[in-house]
């Protein structure tokens, strides 16, 4: 959605910890960054935590702890997690086709729970992928079967940081190589196939990361190494790439979102302290120079970002004694906090909207002290915990 730039006073500090990666870092690193400071807000300053909805969970095993979620429409969603089994804890995959009213269990990929996040992403009802950060697995029959796929040319130590898709292609941000040969590269494969190839020219040297945003057939990609490099590309058809001006600087942790083919929003986060981080909302239309729209609350280290075609903007954070969702409904001019989960500081991951009103986010995970999926049906104004 094209937005109107607003006046604002940007924070002046642009330095931040290089240990903060594109995705959530290790549990130890994140714990250091989110540790509450003496300036933490009291619980009376926070929005109340949402309450669970009542639905049928017949298809969900007891003790299920979600780690990742992916929705292809407001009705169709997948949740990957882990549940107790004879081996200790086993991967478990469930789906809904009626907006989380009922759930069905499927064959789960053979992936492990990690200190960070084991991710799942579906492009449609048939094509899906999952990764524990090192291995990529795919299904093309709606989770009937899974197979490990090869990333052509990815040698040495391999790290998979992001999964995304358009209506034609699947994408992954992959870092590979050893020492001075380390490269952060965009990979792609046609939907329905396992032909993962590096996208020529869409890469930066070094161990980096950042984000992918898609809308229809269009895709935007930002790659970089913090304090060192930042580059950005777009492809209207998902395959013919053009380099464009980055929406953020090399000093920012970059999050992208797109609600129109020629429009991309960015959340440029910088200056992390213990539980706080500056968050600058920007927009670029048609590859033009980015325009600053506003500044989200500094509370929380940024862990997610999403926008809607109706103008909602939501940013996820963790720190200062809680997990947070901050939202703006007026192009970034003013902000509120529709969801704050106090006392337990767990990351908010997989924040995404399926349409103008429906969105989801994962709180915590099996590697943390709690795990849940929250959902909004009113464009981000309120969030409710799904019963799983």
């Amino acid at each position: 959605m094209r937005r109107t730039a607003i006046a604002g006073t940007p924070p002046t500090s642009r330095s931040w910890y290089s240990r903060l990666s594109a995705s959530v870092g290790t549990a130890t690193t994140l714990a250091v960054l989110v540790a509450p400071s003496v300036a933490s807000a009291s619980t009376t300053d926070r929005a109340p935590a949402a309450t669970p909805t009542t639905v049928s969970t017949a298809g969900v095993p007891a003790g299920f702890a979600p780690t990742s979620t992916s929705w292809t429409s407001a009705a169709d969603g997948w949740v990957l997690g882990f549940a107790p089994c004879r081996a200790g804890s086993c991967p478990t995959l469930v789906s809904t086709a009626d907006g989380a009213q009922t759930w069905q269990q499927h064959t789960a990929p053979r992936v492990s729970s990690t200190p960070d996040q084991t991710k799942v992403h579906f492009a449609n009802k048939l094509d899906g992928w999952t990764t524990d950060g090192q291995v990529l697995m795919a299904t093309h029959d709606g989770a009937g079967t899974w197979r490990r796929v090869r990333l052509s040319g990815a040698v040495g130590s391999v790290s998979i940081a992001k999964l995304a898709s358009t209506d034609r292609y699947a994408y992954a941000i992959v870092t590979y190589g050893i020492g001075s040969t380390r490269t952060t590269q965009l990979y792609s494969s046609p939907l329905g196939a396992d032909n993962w190839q590096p996208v020529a020219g869409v890469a930066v040297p070094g161990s980096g990361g950042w984000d992918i945003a898609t809308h229809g057939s269009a895709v935007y990609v930002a790659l970089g190494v913090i304090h060192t490099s930042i580059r950005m590309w777009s492809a209207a058809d998902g395959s013919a790439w053009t380099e464009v001006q980055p929406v953020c600087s090399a000093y920012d942790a970059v999050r992208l979102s797109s609600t129109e083919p020629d429009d991309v929003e960015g959340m440029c986060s910088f200056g992390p302290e213990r539980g706080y981080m500056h968050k600058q909302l920007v927009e670029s239309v048609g590859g033009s120079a980015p325009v600053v729209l506003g500044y989200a609350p500094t509370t929380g280290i940024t862990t997610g970002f999403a926008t809607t075609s109706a103008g909602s903007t939501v940013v996820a954070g963790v720190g200062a004694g809680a997990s947070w969702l901050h939202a703006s409904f007026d192009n970034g001019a003013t902000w509120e906090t529709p969801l704050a989960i106090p006392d337990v500081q767990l990351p908010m991951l997989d924040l995404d909207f399926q349409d103008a009103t429906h969105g989801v986010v994962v709180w915590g995970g099996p590697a943390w002290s709690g795990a849940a999926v929250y959902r909004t049906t009113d464009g981000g104004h309120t969030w409710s915990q799904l019963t799983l």
Side-chain angles (χ1 to χ4, degrees):
M1 178 180 180
R2 290 174 173 81
R3 304 163 186 248
T4 303
I6 64 170
T9 303
T12 55
S13 173
R14 302 292 290 182
S15 63
W16 66 289
Y17 299 106
S18 60
R19 290 177 295 168
L20 189 66
S21 64
S23 59
V24 175
T26 64
T28 301
T29 299
L30 189 58
V32 170
L33 288 172
V34 305
S37 69
V38 295
S40 297
S42 67
T43 55
T44 57
D45 293 328
R46 299 175 185 146
T51 55
T53 57
T54 302
V55 298
S56 171
T57 58
V60 182
F64 177 73
T67 181
S68 183
T69 190
S70 177
W71 293 63
T72 57
S73 72
D76 301 296
W78 301 80
V79 180
L80 176 65
F82 290 81
C85 62
R86 291 184 179 180
S89 181
C90 294
T92 304
L93 181 67
V94 298
S95 75
T96 180
D98 54 15
Q101 295 305 302
T102 60
W103 295 90
Q104 176 183 0
Q105 189 170 347
H106 299 265
T107 301
R110 294 184 179 180
V111 291
S112 59
S113 178
T114 73
D116 302 324
Q117 184 194 29
T118 303
K119 301 177 180 69
V120 69
H121 177 80
F122 274 80
N124 49 50
K125 292 184 178 182
L126 298 178
D127 299 306
W129 302 265
T130 183
T131 182
D132 59 6
Q134 296 180 321
V135 173
L136 180 63
M137 301 192 71
T139 181
H140 301 295
D141 57 8
T145 58
W146 293 86
R147 66 185 296 267
R148 182 171 178 172
V149 298
R150 178 176 176 269
L151 297 169
S152 178
V155 297
S157 177
V158 176
S159 175
I160 304 167
K162 175 73 178 183
L163 300 175
S165 62
T166 63
D167 53 12
R168 299 176 61 189
Y169 297 95
Y171 303 94
I173 293 177
V174 181
T175 299
Y176 60 89
I178 300 173
S180 61
T181 69
R182 294 286 283 174
T183 300
T184 299
Q185 175 103 46
L186 180 69
Y187 273 71
S188 72
S189 173
L191 295 187
D194 293 321
N195 183 25
W196 286 87
Q197 300 291 330
V199 177
V202 184
V204 294
S207 297
W210 302 142
D211 207 3
I212 306 170
T214 64
H215 182 80
S217 298
V219 57
Y220 294 86
V221 177
L223 300 178
V225 178
I226 193 63
H227 284 163
T228 302
S229 63
I230 180 68
R231 296 177 69 184
M232 190 163 161
W233 300 260
S234 68
D237 63 355
S239 61
W241 295 90
T242 301
E243 188 161 6
V244 297
Q245 181 176 344
V247 296
C248 301
S249 80
Y251 295 92
D252 300 325
V254 183
R255 301 276 177 168
L256 301 178
S257 182
S258 179
T259 58
E260 295 182 15
D262 65 343
D263 186 1
V264 62
E265 292 89 25
M267 182 59 66
C268 309
S269 302
F270 57 95
E273 300 175 3
R274 289 181 176 267
Y276 298 85
M277 194 173 199
H278 298 298
K279 306 174 183 71
Q280 178 177 268
L281 175 64
V282 300
E283 180 185 41
S284 174
V285 178
S288 62
V291 175
V292 176
L293 301 178
Y295 299 91
T298 58
T299 311
I301 300 299
T302 304
T303 60
F305 169 62
T307 60
T308 75
S309 58
S312 299
T313 300
V314 180
V315 58
V318 57
S323 304
W324 309 86
L325 290 182
H326 304 300
S328 175
F329 306 103
D330 57 6
N331 298 330
T334 62
W335 294 79
E336 56 191 75
T337 302
L339 178 62
I341 306 174
D343 302 326
V344 181
Q345 301 183 119
L346 303 184
M348 307 285 271
L349 306 170
D350 292 345
L351 177 61
D352 187 38
F353 281 93
Q354 293 73 60
D355 56 28
T357 58
H358 295 85
V360 291
V361 68
V362 174
W363 173 73
W368 305 85
S369 58
V373 178
Y374 285 81
R375 191 176 192 226
T376 180
T377 58
D378 58 8
H381 289 273
T382 61
W383 296 77
S384 296
Q385 182 181 334
L386 298 183
T387 301
L388 289 168

